């Protein structure tokens, strides 16, 4: 399912993504998270989507934001950082989004071209789509996806 019209999208970034622009710029680029989030909010305005951005280094906080998104009927764009490869609990929370508004998993780097332990994601199998390796543009593409899906699914 997961083809419902959404008015809002929650952009969640997990551990260490507050260090964007500083941490391993050769892998994650030079753009800061504040810049990425500002860009997404602006883009949301032109796409008629309310965008709320949250970053946390804590698994429980991310899970609570997922619950909040579920209660609001919001779609989710998530870069779970290292929790991608470890967190059954985050997957369990996101299963509710998968059954509702849907979520897209984003990775800035091409995780498949990196260490073996980054090749497995606990989330990908229940994500509506996965974007990896396109830098921070991946977030914008995911947002565009939800706008296009709105147009395709339910003209209002
Ligand atoms: C970000 C991280 O922090 C890593 O733990 C993931 C992901 C990859 C990214 O490419 O955005 O393995």
């Amino acid at each position: 399912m997961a083809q419902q019209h959404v008015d809002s999208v929650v952009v969640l970034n997990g551990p260490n993504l507050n260090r964007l622009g500083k941490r391993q710029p050769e892998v994650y680029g030079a753009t800061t998270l504040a810049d990425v989030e500002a860009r997404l909010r602006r883009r949301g305005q032109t796409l008629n989507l309310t965008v709320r951005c949250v970053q946390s280094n804590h698994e429980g906080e991310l899970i609570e934001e997922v619950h909040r998104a579920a209660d609001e009927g919001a779609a989710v764009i998530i870069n779970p950082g290292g929790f991608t490869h470890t967190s059954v609990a985050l997957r369990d929370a996101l299963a509710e989004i998968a059954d509702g508004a849907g979520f897209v998993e984003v990775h800035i780097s091409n995780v498949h071209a990196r260490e073996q332990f980054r090749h497995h994601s606990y989330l990908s199998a229940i994500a509506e789509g996965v974007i990896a390796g396109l830098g921070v543009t991946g977030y914008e593409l995911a947002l565009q996806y939800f706008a296009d899906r709105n147009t395709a699914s339910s003209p209002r």
Side-chain angles (χ1 to χ4, degrees), residues 6-7 23 26 30-31 43 50 61 63 67 75 90 98 114 126 139 142 149-150 155-156:
V6 289
D7 296 318
R23 177 178 71 126
E26 69 287 2
T31 313
R43 189 96 187 92
T50 301
E61 277 179 21
I63 289 168
H67 295 165
L90 191 55
R114 299 181 65 192
I126 59 165
Y139 296 98
R149 197 189 71 174
N150 272 348
R156 297 201 297 192

Side-chain angles (χ1 to χ4, degrees), residues 7 12 15 23-24 26 35 39 45 48 52 57-58 60 62 78 87 93 102 107 125 128 130 134 136 151 154:
D7 296 318
L12 293 178
R23 177 178 71 126
Q24 294 184 275
E26 69 287 2
D35 284 343
R39 216 184 280 174
Q45 278 172 0
N48 253 333
R52 187 173 82 248
N57 294 320
H58 304 281
L62 291 167
I78 183 164
S87 183
H107 302 287
E128 205 158 316
V130 181
L134 302 184
V136 295
T151 308
S154 58

Side-chain angles (χ1 to χ4, degrees), residues 137-154:
T137 305
Y139 296 98
E140 285 186 58
L141 295 172
L143 193 60
Q144 181 71 50
Y145 167 72
F146 284 117
D148 291 352
R149 197 189 71 174
N150 272 348
T151 308
S153 66
S154 58

Side-chain angles (χ1 to χ4, degrees), residues 15 17 23 28 79 81-82 85 107-109 111 114 118:
L17 289 156
R23 177 178 71 126
Y28 298 107
N79 182 346
H85 320 295
H107 302 287
I108 295 165
S109 65
V111 283
R114 299 181 65 192
R118 294 186 203 277

Side-chain angles (χ1 to χ4, degrees), residues 20-85:
L20 267 188
K22 295 184 182 131
R23 177 178 71 126
Q24 294 184 275
E26 69 287 2
V27 176
Y28 298 107
T31 313
T32 66
L33 184 60
D35 284 343
V36 172
E37 292 178 344
R39 216 184 280 174
L40 288 170
R41 278 189 290 266
R42 275 200 305 274
R43 189 96 187 92
Q45 278 172 0
T46 68
L47 296 172
N48 253 333
L49 289 168
T50 301
V51 173
R52 187 173 82 248
C53 300
V54 179
Q55 187 277 331
S56 176
N57 294 320
H58 304 281
E59 190 175 11
E61 277 179 21
L62 291 167
I63 289 168
E64 278 167 17
E65 287 298 335
V66 172
H67 295 165
R68 195 171 156 197
D71 285 342
E72 292 171 353
V76 170
I77 296 169
I78 183 164
N79 182 346
F83 292 142
T84 307
H85 320 295

